[in-house]
Amino acid sequence: MNVSVQAVAVWGKVAPSHSITAIMITDDQQTIVTGSQEGQICLWNLSSELKISSKEILFGHTTSVTCLAKARE
């Protein structure tokens, strides 16, 4: 069974700033990860038609995210 779940953003009338300072694409080329000057990490879905849609935004860093790397298995 394939279930699709939409991301829900809850931040009021104005979305947080996301000035991209780092970018990475996963090995399966289905997810883009961006880091921002504001300390957020965002995950984006990338479709085979090259359409990008938001997936998740992660908060918690207290300084800019200037580098992204994947963990080894």
Side-chain angles (χ1 to χ4, degrees):
M1 176 189 224
N2 192 3
V3 177
S4 177
V5 177
Q6 294 292 334
V8 176
V10 183
W11 50 59
K13 294 182 180 183
V14 179
S17 299
H18 189 71
S19 306
I20 295 173
T21 53
I23 190 166
M24 181 183 77
I25 190 165
T26 57
D27 289 339
D28 64 6
Q29 298 182 350
Q30 293 182 358
T31 304
I32 296 172
V33 183
T34 58
S36 77
Q37 183 175 359
E38 296 79 17
Q40 306 146 357
I41 295 175
C42 291
L43 304 177
W44 308 87
N45 289 322
L46 179 61
S47 72
S48 57
E49 296 84 27
L50 302 179
K51 292 184 180 181
I52 299 172
S53 60
S54 62
K55 185 175 182 179
E56 295 179 66
I57 186 168
L58 310 172
F59 296 91
H61 289 84
T62 56
T63 60
S64 296
V65 177
T66 58
C67 182
L68 296 166
K70 66 176 186 156
R72 293 184 184 182
E73 292 183 17

